[in-house]
Amino acid sequence: MNENEEAPTAAEPARVDLAAWCLAACRVATFRAPPWERLVTGPTWIAALLLGHLLLAFGVQRLAIDGPARLYWPAVLNGWAATVLWIWISWIAVRAARQRPGAAPVPDTSVVLTLVMANSALISVAVSLLLVPLLQLLGPLESWPLGARWGVWLLPMMWMLATATGLLWRVIPSAAPRAFAGLVALAAVAIAGWLQPAMFWWPDLSAKTTGTATADEDAATDPGLKLTEAVLAAQPRLIAEALDALPRSEPDRIKVYAVTYAPYAIEDVFKRESAVVAQAMAERFGAGDRTVQLVMNPSTTESLPWATQANLRRTLDRMGQVMDRDKDVLFLHLTSHGGRDGQLAAEAWPLESEPVTPALLKQWLDEVGIRWRVISISACYSGSWIEPLAGDDTLVMTAADATHTSYGCGSRSPLTFFGQALYVDALKDTWSFAQAHARARQLIEVREREAGKTDGYSNPQIREGAAIGEVLRRLERQQQGQ
């Protein structure tokens, strides 16, 4: 070799072109073919995509929770089965494409995998850019309508599935491997979004707006219910004791039998509202020993029976047996998040609990034969309950109409605006539910305006049947004469 010649050097590794990857991800996310020939990837780029995706989920999930939240760090271990599936299906796609005779050049497995991940990251960024201002405008996710919360969770997954499947189909030339790739992609998305979602933050149930907490609340620091042996042994006993303790009706005087139902375990506001309403019924109508509180909350699992469909049904059955159904009045207060579909949200993880609907509640009351009913629903869109429950023998009060949210049901709220206005502020000055509701409407309108509620006045509703009006007026005169 001539001494003036330079020794040959190893070829420098190609550098990742960030602009090319951004363009490719945008094309995949909008169902267009990416520019394969310009894409170069490597372990560092793949690791950066994974880390960025995790950090984005970490931040957006925290913003979605109103008030104190607890970090659940083991969530970083979730979702990796889906990543393994994406690696596998990327390899299968490239292998199937290369095995076909006369196949056109195809990208490496690493390029296909990185494109899938970049597409997922881009969709996550796009959804986050939309979700964050909506959270600031509409409040925490748990206060949204049920359908909107389902949409926030489901639509990005469907977008991710459709675009990733489209990408794989561009690589795979034949029908059978395409169908298989689509099924594996569906499994990967289902694992990441349904079976193993990475939930980094949970509401901190031990924190209170007042800055103080009871001993029970201090213990309730983990998300969900603790299904210990003590809890599982206590629950059947608690509901049996509560129902056995209900006294039978007395002649002459109208008696009020009260039930509170709070099935949303991960926010203390509903537990507190149940206690406040029960206290109001005891103080104003003497319903103390004729009251059953059904509450789903980690701090009450060994002190109050759970708010489940089965327990509510049993409670109504028992009250129908001990009360004078021609004279006495059943008062029922339900408090939780509500949806436009008329379902009262039930959240009791890891316990599976079904939501109560107005049609189901009406069926139970009719079967039991309880005639005089005062039903109070503290939930968003609760006006949708009025028509199914209304009747001559029924008074229905709701925290909102059928098209608006109520207010004050976040984790930082001591009580909902409806519970505070009606059962603390208004009912203390009257024994008339209609008068108290009218006063509560005025208070709620002022307070919502002062709080900056952006989606319009909740517009609480009331419907009084023709027959129950006279019964409630007799009850009012009776209480005034105490």
Side-chain angles (χ1 to χ4, degrees):
M1 180 188 307
N2 188 302
E3 62 181 4
N4 293 326
E5 290 182 1
E6 294 183 2
T9 58
E12 292 185 4
R15 294 182 178 179
V16 173
D17 186 341
L18 182 58
W21 276 106
C22 290
L23 173 63
C26 289
R27 292 187 66 86
V28 173
T30 53
F31 300 95
R32 293 180 293 171
W36 304 108
E37 66 282 355
R38 297 178 54 191
L39 300 179
V40 178
T41 188
T44 303
W45 179 230
I46 293 175
L49 279 172
L50 286 172
L51 180 60
H53 207 175
L54 284 174
L55 291 176
L56 181 66
F58 186 88
V60 172
Q61 286 183 21
R62 181 61 187 90
L63 288 173
I65 296 178
D66 186 28
R70 296 183 65 252
L71 174 62
Y72 182 64
W73 66 265
V76 299
L77 302 177
N78 286 1
W80 294 106
T83 303
V84 172
L85 280 180
W86 284 121
I87 295 173
W88 182 47
I89 195 58
S90 298
W91 176 80
I92 288 177
V94 172
R95 184 171 181 271
R98 288 178 175 173
Q99 286 182 341
R100 184 170 183 176
V106 294
D108 291 337
T109 300
S110 59
V111 172
V112 176
L113 174 63
T114 307
L115 261 179
V116 169
M117 295 169 55
N119 173 59
S120 176
L122 180 64
I123 290 173
S124 298
V125 169
V127 171
S128 300
L129 290 175
L130 177 63
L131 182 60
V132 169
L134 285 176
L135 289 170
Q136 295 174 346
L137 180 66
L138 302 179
L141 197 62
E142 64 265 17
S143 66
W144 289 23
L146 185 61
R149 282 180 277 152
W150 271 92
V152 167
W153 171 78
L154 188 59
L155 292 178
M157 284 208 311
M158 299 306 296
W159 186 7
M160 168 63 186
L161 176 63
T163 53
T165 302
L167 170 67
L168 295 172
W169 282 28
R170 292 184 186 278
V171 178
I172 302 173
S174 52
R178 281 181 170 182
F180 181 70
L183 289 175
V184 177
L186 176 61
V189 170
I191 288 173
W194 182 275
L195 298 178
Q196 285 189 320
M199 301 300 295
F200 297 106
W201 295 98
W202 293 84
D204 188 351
L205 301 179
S206 64
K208 292 188 68 176
T209 13
T210 59
T212 60
T214 65
D216 284 341
E217 288 166 335
D218 284 334
T221 58
D222 289 328
L225 303 178
K226 292 183 178 179
L227 301 185
T228 63
E229 287 188 23
V231 169
L232 295 177
Q235 278 300 314
R237 172 180 54 81
L238 289 171
I239 186 63
E241 289 176 353
L243 301 186
D244 290 344
L246 288 171
R248 292 192 173 274
S249 182
E250 300 172 1
D252 303 326
R253 294 178 63 82
I254 299 173
K255 296 296 183 182
V256 174
Y257 286 77
V259 184
T260 64
Y261 186 77
Y264 205 83
I266 62 175
E267 288 181 359
D268 286 353
V269 61
F270 304 116
K271 174 194 70 173
R272 290 192 290 268
E273 182 155 301
S274 171
V276 165
V277 172
Q279 182 180 357
M281 290 300 105
E283 293 176 351
R284 301 300 288 165
F285 297 99
D289 58 350
R290 291 186 296 276
T291 298
V292 174
Q293 289 190 65
L294 303 177
V295 176
M296 196 70 77
N297 191 276
S299 66
T300 62
T301 50
E302 295 185 54
S303 57
L304 292 175
W306 281 335
T308 63
Q309 280 194 8
N311 279 354
L312 180 57
R313 184 71 172 88
R314 286 182 63 186
T315 301
L316 295 177
D317 280 345
R318 179 59 180 167
M319 286 191 168
Q321 295 169 11
V322 299
M323 65 191 299
D324 185 332
R325 288 178 286 181
D326 292 326
K327 169 177 63 68
D328 295 335
V329 174
L330 171 72
F331 172 85
L332 173 59
H333 180 77
L334 305 100
T335 177
S336 182
H337 295 297
R340 292 180 184 270
D341 57 1
Q343 290 191 352
L344 194 74
E347 177 57 60
W349 185 86
L351 186 72
E352 291 289 337
S353 184
E354 294 298 320
V356 171
T357 64
L360 192 60
L361 179 59
K362 176 72 159 54
Q363 174 187 330
W364 291 342
L365 291 169
D366 289 346
E367 289 173 354
V368 173
I370 297 175
R371 182 178 181 185
W372 307 114
R373 313 165 183 177
V374 175
I375 305 174
S376 167
I377 307 102
S378 179
C380 295
Y381 309 108
S382 46
S384 62
W385 287 60
I386 289 182
E387 288 301 329
L389 294 175
D392 286 347
D393 303 336
T394 303
L395 172 71
V396 186
M397 303 179 291
T398 68
D401 61 25
T403 60
H404 286 92
T405 62
S406 55
Y407 212 59
C409 51
S411 60
R412 290 184 295 180
S413 303
L415 288 176
T416 69
F417 278 29
F418 181 71
Q420 174 70 37
L422 181 57
Y423 295 102
V424 176
D425 301 326
L427 200 59
K428 64 182 177 63
D429 297 322
T430 180
W431 287 277
S432 166
F433 289 108
Q435 290 179 13
H437 191 274
R439 174 60 179 152
R441 278 178 53 88
Q442 298 172 351
L443 294 172
I444 291 169
E445 184 171 17
V446 172
R447 291 167 183 173
E448 286 181 350
R449 189 165 55 246
E450 292 175 346
K453 189 173 187 288
T454 57
D455 64 337
Y457 174 44
S458 57
N459 194 23
Q461 300 290 295
I462 187 169
R463 177 82 63 85
E464 182 180 275
I468 196 173
E470 180 54 36
V471 173
L472 294 178
R473 284 188 286 274
R474 289 202 305 270
L475 176 62
E476 183 181 355
R477 293 192 294 269
Q478 172 186 292
Q479 296 307 109
Q480 289 173 340
Q482 287 183 342

